[in-house]
Amino acid sequence: MQRRTFLKNSAAGTAGLVSSSVLASCGETDKSSTTLPEKMENIGPIVICTWDFNNASAKAWEVLKSGGNSLDAVEKGVMVEEADVENQTVGLGGRPDRDGKVTLDACIMDKDGNCGAVLCMQNIAHPISVARKVMEETPHVMLAGKGAEQFALEQGFKKTNLLTEKSKQEWIEWKKTSQYKPIINIENHDTIGMLAIDQNGDLAGACTTSGMAYKLAGRVGDSPIIGAGLFVDNEVGGATATGVGEEVVRTVGSFLIVELMRQGKTPQEACEEGVKRIIEKNKNKLDFQIGFIAINKKGETGGYCIQPGFTYRTYSNEGHLNNPSDSYITS
Ligand code: SD4
């Protein structure tokens, strides 16, 4: 009901209705004119993202509320974290690999199943926007390494040093022992995966990260892999992941969750099953974190993780919430 009131009152809602009636008065048939209001009534715009990314979800909501589409919303939303030097798991200020190089992974997917990704790309602050360019301007889905950087520069992106003094000093300190033992929920935490439904009921998703801190040079995780770190099917819903990417890739986690929703599971049940598949493969060493979030076409959301401590944001007309996720391990 609240969403319905919002849509009736918002400029976005009005714009959708006006365009239908304008088309009708022109004698044109608009396929959406009969279905759109009902869809809008049932769903309404909504955004969900991993972790407590208040500013990023607020940015995406701003785009949705003003009538923008879900693809613009997720791109603009995650860009907030890419630009935030305090977030050392995404974009500018991200922690480097073992050789001191910041390498970024990102992917984006739209309502039509189009997708784009960049893998292990250096020197460009907004990998999500480069991923979108890959999707929109090339016949490819993924560009990696130097090729991705070259493409970004050709598209007008600026070369930027991504290694901040803080991340550099931490890396220098890390090199003293060079032990690769990520601390759960602290190191390698804060990758942003975001899913949105716009006023037309259409879904899109984005995921962006600097990956696991102090990884081997060339390592790529789940975040830029369509089906692993992110998957969207406009008929069903979307899912995205955070945590140790290798485990998410092994189970093609986000695709699995969307397929489980297609078979009738709620987003919550699907996320729980996604985590369960990973647990089954790692019974003797559950010393890592994975968190999944999901949304279905009804705008229902869910989240689940292995270790306590994961939260996810939802922003809709029903409020701006930081939701603590249930976890497989409870203490
Ligand atoms: C990766 N999944 O590269 C990412 C890391 C992550 O919060 O999610 N950090 O494996």
Side-chain angles (χ1 to χ4, degrees), residues 175-202:
K175 279 205 297 180
K176 289 180 184 162
T177 55
S178 299
Q179 277 200 317
Y180 190 63
K181 283 189 182 164
I183 306 161
I184 292 164
N185 287 337
I186 296 178
E187 265 177 42
N188 303 316
H189 156 297
D190 279 354
T191 289
I192 185 164
M194 181 178 275
L195 307 160
I197 299 181
D198 60 28
Q199 60 166 351
N200 296 325
D202 289 325

Side-chain angles (χ1 to χ4, degrees), residues 50-51 53 89-90 105 180 187-192 207-213 215 219-224 229 241-249 289-291:
T50 55
W51 304 106
F53 292 128
T89 313
V90 181
D105 296 337
Y180 190 63
E187 265 177 42
N188 303 316
H189 156 297
D190 279 354
T191 289
I192 185 164
C207 189
T208 178
T209 190
S210 52
M212 305 294 282
K215 59 197 176 185
R219 180 267 186 188
V220 173
D222 60 318
S223 304
T242 180
V244 177
E246 282 73 4
E247 300 302 332
V248 179
V249 171
Q289 176 66 302
I290 299 287

Side-chain angles (χ1 to χ4, degrees), residues 88-317:
Q88 291 178 282
T89 313
V90 181
L92 190 64
R95 290 193 181 91
D97 65 13
R98 287 176 189 202
D99 302 341
K101 298 201 167 75
V102 180
T103 66
L104 304 180
D105 296 337
C107 72
I108 194 160
M109 194 162 188
D110 76 6
K111 66 181 171 59
D112 299 314
N114 298 311
C115 46
V118 288
L119 289 67
C120 208
M121 183 178 69
Q122 293 181 47
N123 301 317
I124 306 289
H126 286 297
I128 200 65
S129 302
V130 185
R132 183 167 176 175
K133 289 280 183 200
V134 173
M135 175 174 87
E136 292 178 342
E137 306 292 338
T138 80
H140 307 307
V141 168
M142 299 189 212
L143 291 180
K146 279 278 163 225
E149 185 181 336
Q150 184 59 36
F151 170 73
L153 294 173
E154 282 164 15
Q155 290 290 321
F157 290 82
K158 274 210 309 275
K159 192 162 181 154
T160 308
N161 173 20
L162 303 174
L163 186 63
T164 54
E165 203 43 42
K166 185 178 175 195
S167 288
K168 186 176 171 182
Q169 288 312 321
E170 284 182 11
W171 167 66
I172 289 170
E173 197 55 36
W174 174 81
K175 279 205 297 180
K176 289 180 184 162
T177 55
S178 299
Q179 277 200 317
Y180 190 63
K181 283 189 182 164
I183 306 161
I184 292 164
N185 287 337
I186 296 178
E187 265 177 42
N188 303 316
H189 156 297
D190 279 354
T191 289
I192 185 164
M194 181 178 275
L195 307 160
I197 299 181
D198 60 28
Q199 60 166 351
N200 296 325
D202 289 325
L203 268 146
C207 189
T208 178
T209 190
S210 52
M212 305 294 282
Y214 319 130
K215 59 197 176 185
L216 287 174
R219 180 267 186 188
V220 173
D222 60 318
S223 304
I225 308 294
I226 294 294
L230 174 76
F231 196 71
V232 168
D233 185 321
N234 205 37
E235 295 291 305
V236 178
T240 185
T242 180
V244 177
E246 282 73 4
E247 300 302 332
V248 179
V249 171
R250 283 186 186 119
T251 53
V252 201
S254 294
F255 179 72
L256 170 67
I257 289 170
V258 172
E259 289 307 299
L260 289 167
M261 291 194 290
R262 191 193 306 278
Q263 290 163 21
K265 288 207 187 302
T266 64
Q268 183 61 36
E269 290 165 348
C271 288
E272 289 178 19
E273 179 64 27
V275 166
K276 210 174 113 200
R277 296 282 175 98
I278 292 173
I279 289 165
E280 277 163 7
K281 291 188 163 56
N282 291 279
K283 285 209 175 94
N284 302 321
K285 55 165 189 57
L286 274 185
D287 58 350
F288 58 90
Q289 176 66 302
I290 299 287
F292 284 116
I293 59 169
I295 189 167
N296 67 13
K297 281 291 272 189
K298 289 188 233 163
E300 295 168 339
T301 58
Y304 198 64
C305 59
I306 298 178
Q307 317 281 344
F310 173 54
T311 67
Y312 58 98
R313 279 255 161 204
T314 46
Y315 209 145
S316 72
N317 192 49

